[in-house]
Amino acid sequence: GIYKMAGWQQQQQVTPRFVRIKSNGYIDRVQIRPIMGMSLATFERQSEELAMAFGAERCTVKRGKRVGQVWLEFERKDALAKELPAIPIPKTVDLHNVQVGIGEDGSPWSIDVVRTHMLFAGISGSGKSSLIQAILRGLGPAIRDGIVEVRIIDPKGGVEFRDVKPLAKRYEDGDYESMVSLIEETAKDMKLASRGVTGRKLDVFTPEHPLVLMIVDEMADLTVYQPDDKLRDRFNRAMGTLLTQGRANGYRVIAALQDPRMDVVKYRNLFPTRIALELDTPEQVRMVLGEGMRAKGALADKIGQ
């Protein structure tokens, strides 16, 4: 469009411009240059209309690396439609890059087990224990060599993790006293590990100073549904200690739960990495991932539909 002002003319962009297009057979990525007044939210509000206009299953809006860059990702083919065979156990392990599956674009999906604590949320049967076991499979050589030490709490009585018990240095799936004692001992070991240690790199692990993974399945059984107030309080205190101090001492927590309500996990924000599997409602997506994440394409409530 052209407009006039004070005797001079200036060309004005009135529609977004296509900058580049990339495609890999599963996802078409379209970079656009918005016009003045448009924001990321503008495109997020119109994602369904954009998907229909381009004949795609869905459209995800993402911010580019530079200010003003916007990428539209159109799903052409579902890379996750077929069951994925078990990924081969690696000969060597990169703790920052443990492959556990593939992404929606068909590329490898990897998890960094060193960087943060992780919380997995999803309804029953959504694959929480499968994801944890995929991580353990990818860590196999590091566990064998003592670089990674695994401790597991399974309130289901071993239904989920008894098959991987040989990988764990400590394992509890029996009475609640034993499970709470294990996480208390882990918090105590973490504090002892920090004494007298100076100048150690936070992401370098050895058999003398391994990365300790504390895995807790169905955490709500211990944080809320446990009828014994004393056991519940003991668990919450020990878990809070691990989450706030473990990062600097080589201890990480991986926890899973079905119910993401705030009264179930009051310290969810201490899990910097949160992964949503299949959930029941859009509100649960917000509870797990935070405000606005569903609008950005995290449609965890649509999985399985």
Side-chain angles (χ1 to χ4, degrees):
I2 298 177
Y3 65 88
K4 295 182 179 181
M5 179 178 287
W8 55 274
Q9 294 183 344
Q10 180 173 330
Q11 194 74 22
Q12 182 186 33
Q13 180 185 345
V14 294
T15 58
R17 293 179 181 174
F18 290 95
V19 178
R20 70 180 72 175
I21 299 175
K22 299 179 180 180
S23 180
N24 67 355
Y26 294 106
I27 301 289
D28 292 342
R29 292 184 173 90
V30 181
Q31 183 186 347
I32 60 175
R33 181 178 297 131
I35 64 173
M36 185 177 296
M38 281 186 165
S39 67
L40 208 66
T42 305
F43 296 96
E44 291 172 349
R45 288 193 295 268
Q46 301 297 319
S47 60
E48 291 188 12
E49 290 82 355
L50 286 166
M52 184 171 293
F54 282 81
E57 291 293 326
R58 63 190 181 97
C59 172
T60 302
V61 183
K62 294 186 177 181
R63 188 186 306 276
K65 294 182 179 180
R66 297 180 181 178
V67 176
Q69 281 187 345
V70 175
W71 285 90
L72 305 179
E73 295 189 352
F74 297 97
E75 181 183 310
R76 295 295 181 185
K77 182 179 178 182
D78 188 357
L80 309 178
K82 295 182 179 180
E83 185 175 336
L84 180 68
I87 296 172
I89 298 175
K91 293 182 179 179
T92 59
V93 178
D94 178 0
L95 299 180
H96 295 281
N97 189 34
V98 180
Q99 187 179 354
V100 296
I102 61 172
E104 60 188 6
D105 61 354
S107 63
W109 176 35
S110 298
I111 286 180
D112 184 344
V113 298
V114 175
R115 188 166 178 262
T116 67
H117 306 296
M118 292 181 281
L119 177 66
F120 305 150
I123 63 174
S124 178
S126 61
K128 298 183 295 296
S129 63
S130 296
L131 176 54
I132 294 174
Q133 291 189 40
I135 294 174
L136 295 178
R137 180 180 176 87
L139 291 172
I143 296 172
R144 176 199 62 201
D145 297 338
I147 305 300
V148 174
E149 177 183 314
V150 178
R151 306 182 183 189
I152 298 176
I153 292 176
D154 182 2
K156 288 185 178 180
V159 172
E160 301 290 357
F161 291 100
R162 188 166 293 165
D163 288 343
V164 298
K165 183 177 179 179
L167 297 177
K169 184 172 183 179
R170 294 291 308 278
Y171 176 93
E172 291 293 344
D173 65 11
D175 63 277
Y176 284 97
E177 173 65 38
S178 298
M179 289 187 280
V180 172
S181 294
L182 174 52
I183 199 164
E184 286 180 326
E185 290 171 21
T186 301
K188 182 179 179 180
D189 291 345
M190 181 269 297
K191 285 184 171 293
L192 291 174
S194 66
R195 296 180 181 177
V197 178
T198 59
R200 179 185 162 203
K201 294 184 178 180
L202 297 181
D203 59 351
V204 176
F205 303 98
T206 65
E208 292 75 27
H209 300 286
L211 171 67
V212 178
L213 288 183
M214 181 71 256
I215 296 172
V216 183
D217 192 32
E218 297 302 345
M219 187 166 58
D221 282 359
L222 294 156
T223 60
V224 172
Y225 304 138
Q226 167 55 241
D228 189 318
D229 292 345
K230 292 183 178 179
L231 282 176
R232 187 171 62 246
D233 291 344
R234 286 168 55 193
F235 178 87
N236 282 323
R237 283 197 299 271
M239 177 63 82
T241 299
L242 283 172
L243 292 174
T244 55
Q245 302 177 34
R247 173 70 179 86
N249 299 310
Y251 284 68
R252 305 291 184 275
V253 176
I254 298 178
L257 75 156
Q258 294 185 38
D259 188 347
R261 289 175 299 169
M262 183 59 75
D263 57 346
V264 174
V265 189
K266 297 180 180 179
Y267 38 72
R268 79 181 69 198
N269 289 334
L270 296 179
F271 288 94
T273 298
R274 298 188 292 274
I275 295 177
L277 288 87
E278 182 178 355
L279 294 169
D280 284 326
T281 65
E283 178 65 12
Q284 289 184 344
V285 178
R286 183 193 66 78
M287 290 178 182
V288 176
L289 301 178
E291 296 289 348
M293 295 306 296
R294 190 177 185 278
K296 297 180 185 297
L299 305 179
D301 56 304
K302 297 292 186 181
I303 296 175
Q305 297 185 8

